[in-house]
Amino acid sequence: MSHTRTGAGSSLSARRRTRELTEATDGRVVDVLVVGLGATGAGAALDAAARGLDVVAVDAHDLAFGTSRWSSKLIHGGLRYLASAQFDVAHESAVERGVLMTRTAPHLVAAQPFVLPLTPLVSRSQASLAWAGFRAGDMLRLAARTPRQVLPAPRRLSATEARHLAPSVRPAGLRGGLLSWDGKVTDDARLVTALARTAAAHGARVLTRIRALELTGAGARIRDELTGEEGEIRARAVINASGVWAGGLVEGIRIRPSRGTHLVLRSERLGALPAGLHIPIPGETNRFVLVLPQGDGRVYVGLTDEPVEGGIPDVPEVPETDIGFLLDVLGSALDTPVTRDEVVGAFAGLRPLLDTSGDDGRAGEPARTSDISRRHAVLTSPDGVTTIVGGKLTTYRRMAQDAVDAATAARGLPAAPSPTAALPLVGAAAPARLGALAAPPRLVRRYGTEAGAVHALAAEDPALAEPVLPGHPVTRAELLWAVRHEGALDESDLLDRRTRIGLVPEDRAEALTAAREALTREAAARP
């Protein structure tokens, strides 16, 4: 068994990719090959590398290219799963939320308050049911041993308090509100980037733009999407973490994708939002539309849960029916409804739900995707490929641990127990240390202990302190940092994943020049 390479460092760059791709395809046999670099794949790469295994992790596109960048940015405590009696899933979610908030990523994951406004459309029985759910969610927090100072208790709000926290809600007939708390990640794609860089610091070779053409228990035939050159990566154990695309690499894997759509609004449209909103969906007892302030001049509104038929696109389209549905539910609670032309962007992600229909031999109507379990599954093919599917962003770490456990066991590979529940990601530190950093708070929330280094880049050139575009907080220094240290290889990496400027097409077009300048600047600096 090979062991972790030391001194590799956490910085990902084009130069490092070239060197490590050559190493990965030179005929040696690595311990673990991971295919897919979303949260679960990057988490599996970190888990395996942290156990002392020699790891290569590849993705046909970029870090967080698929489902992992399209989430609600919430780290859920599992409340929704209590309602469907999935107690194990609920508890697992609450435990993993606590791990992220207190140990592994407190710089990226923090408490988010939500108000459920008690409008005339919310009956007293609905309100009682929601309140019971929030109290049950607090019991989950207690069972997961997440401290009260990390996640405050839910409480009832007067109409005046509800209006203060949710000023855009229609005041007529408002009889109060319910305040609850959950975890929120600053940016889901940044979480994946931190996972990949932490894996790299433990010696994993993290290679984007490498497509797995064929997967077996002994490795993969791959193609470098930048050059078109093909090669082979040999491995003792192989993990398929390609999400909604998993069935295209391993026979017998049936995925039933579910589309979750979000709208993007300008913050000024809804005014000050000290808290997010839970807006009940008419006719549903346990589903809400969420209003999610992002702190970057934007607000997300989501999300849907619709089955997807046919092929799996690289980037899912957002149908007008989803947009209309979300605007209708939003309008049920707002004083002034949002119009279609005020939607400046929209995005959809596909949940990689495991299709278990027919497993019990019974025929009938397929379950709604909203009713399919979010419990993850680890499946090992006859030739030894381990596939991890299902689950959700919150539980990526446990999914990764289970995948590495199964892959190493299936191939008889000695492996130490997973250390990742106590392993801080790049940038992580205790709140007191983060609060004392000499850097803007927004950078601390995105980069943690590296915020000072990002901020200091402006010393090279004052122009790097300038925003990439008016009205958006991302600076040119952040683009340069992404190229130098976060593995960004092109404009899409910079605008669509390392920053989220690209969620608004108009903003993306305006920021393209700055992205190209960052790439050119770094290319010119290379020897």
Side-chain angles (χ1 to χ4, degrees):
M1 181 176 74
S2 304
H3 292 280
T4 300
R5 298 171 300 136
T6 57
S10 66
S11 290
L12 299 175
S13 64
R15 187 187 309 167
R16 178 169 179 171
R17 175 190 179 277
T18 299
R19 181 179 73 249
E20 294 191 340
L21 176 58
T22 300
E23 293 174 359
T25 55
D26 68 359
R28 74 185 70 190
V29 182
V30 301
D31 292 326
V32 179
L33 168 64
V34 179
V35 178
L37 281 166
T40 305
L46 170 56
D47 189 284
R51 300 189 198 206
L53 299 170
D54 188 18
V55 179
V56 173
V58 302
D59 195 285
H61 299 286
D62 181 30
L63 306 176
F65 181 84
T67 303
S68 292
R69 64 169 155 148
W70 303 127
S71 76
S72 295
K73 319 296 178 270
L74 293 179
I75 301 299
H76 285 295
L79 173 60
R80 181 175 166 190
Y81 312 109
L82 283 181
S84 54
Q86 297 180 59
F87 301 114
D88 54 342
V89 180
H91 180 69
E92 182 177 89
S93 294
V95 168
E96 293 303 322
R97 178 183 62 183
V99 166
L100 280 160
M101 297 184 79
T102 62
R103 282 174 275 178
T104 61
H107 60 313
L108 293 175
V109 183
Q112 169 69 45
F114 284 97
V115 173
L116 194 166
L118 300 178
T119 69
L121 293 177
V122 181
S123 69
R124 295 190 181 278
S125 61
Q126 282 180 305
S128 296
L129 188 62
W131 177 243
F134 294 148
R135 291 293 301 273
D138 195 49
M139 295 303 293
L140 275 177
R141 174 209 58 79
L142 182 65
R145 301 183 178 179
T146 303
R148 169 69 71 220
Q149 61 265 35
V150 174
L151 276 172
R155 67 182 182 91
R156 299 179 185 271
L157 301 173
S158 68
T160 300
E161 290 174 314
R163 281 283 290 163
H164 174 72
L165 290 174
S168 57
V169 168
R170 187 180 304 121
L174 186 68
R175 61 182 190 275
L178 304 178
L179 178 67
S180 61
W181 298 79
D182 214 338
K184 177 177 181 290
V185 64
T186 300
D187 183 339
D188 45 10
R190 292 213 62 75
L191 175 62
V192 177
T193 300
L195 284 166
R197 291 185 57 208
T198 310
H202 282 79
R205 298 174 182 87
V206 177
L207 306 172
T208 60
R209 304 306 197 284
I210 301 297
R211 183 178 297 277
L213 301 172
E214 184 181 352
L215 211 55
T216 71
R221 186 167 60 85
I222 57 98
R223 181 174 67 226
D224 183 348
E225 298 290 65
L226 297 183
T227 65
E229 294 181 11
E230 296 189 7
E232 182 183 13
I233 298 175
R234 301 171 64 200
R236 295 177 176 87
V238 177
I239 296 174
N240 174 19
S242 54
V244 288
W245 297 279
L249 289 172
V250 176
E251 289 187 9
I253 304 295
R254 302 199 311 270
I255 303 296
R256 189 161 176 228
S258 161
R259 184 181 62 246
T261 294
H262 292 81
L263 311 181
V264 184
L265 310 176
R266 301 286 189 196
S267 294
E268 57 264 26
R269 174 57 185 83
L270 298 180
L273 277 175
L277 297 179
H278 278 129
I279 304 176
I281 295 174
E284 301 276 355
T285 57
N286 193 40
R287 288 184 62 206
F288 303 89
V289 163
L290 305 180
V291 177
L292 304 155
Q294 297 303 301
D296 63 355
R298 298 170 179 178
V299 176
Y300 302 157
V301 177
L303 77 167
T304 61
D305 199 330
E306 298 295 331
V308 175
E309 306 297 337
I312 306 298
D314 283 349
V315 178
E317 294 285 329
V318 176
E320 283 294 326
T321 50
D322 282 11
I323 296 175
F325 166 78
L326 291 171
L327 288 178
D328 286 347
V329 178
L330 183 61
S332 73
L334 295 189
D335 198 18
T336 306
V338 174
T339 60
R340 176 65 180 86
D341 61 357
E342 291 174 313
V343 177
V344 295
F347 60 91
L350 301 182
R351 304 173 183 88
L353 305 180
L354 183 65
D355 185 0
T356 57
S357 62
D359 284 0
D360 58 4
R362 291 180 297 174
E365 288 295 317
R368 298 189 308 171
T369 50
S370 59
D371 295 330
I372 296 177
S373 173
R374 268 48 173 177
R375 187 178 287 110
H376 64 268
V378 181
L379 310 168
T380 302
S381 68
D383 72 343
V385 175
T386 297
T387 297
I388 174 78
V389 291
K392 53 195 184 300
L393 181 69
T394 303
T395 57
Y396 81 84
R397 191 207 64 80
R398 181 56 189 269
M399 293 170 66
Q401 175 183 318
D402 289 352
V404 175
D405 282 346
T408 52
R411 308 301 283 180
L413 198 60
S418 172
T420 55
L423 185 64
L425 303 185
V426 166
R433 184 182 168 200
L434 292 173
L437 293 172
R442 190 192 74 84
L443 291 184
V444 175
R445 288 192 297 271
R446 293 180 66 78
Y447 299 92
T449 57
E450 294 186 321
V454 178
H455 192 51
L457 278 178
E460 293 182 20
D461 179 354
L464 293 176
E466 296 174 2
V468 172
L469 72 158
H472 198 281
V474 170
T475 65
R476 293 170 183 267
E478 292 174 73
L479 298 184
L480 187 60
W481 180 267
V483 178
R484 288 184 177 176
H485 301 287
E486 295 179 343
L489 300 178
D490 65 12
E491 297 94 335
S492 293
D493 292 358
L494 288 172
L495 300 179
D496 300 333
R497 289 169 290 278
R498 303 306 178 277
T499 70
R500 308 314 292 275
I501 292 171
L503 288 174
V504 177
E506 179 184 341
D507 292 351
R508 190 185 196 282
E510 191 171 349
L512 267 175
T513 299
R516 287 168 182 154
E517 287 173 355
L519 291 160
T520 301
R521 181 185 187 120
E522 183 58 16
R526 288 185 210 136

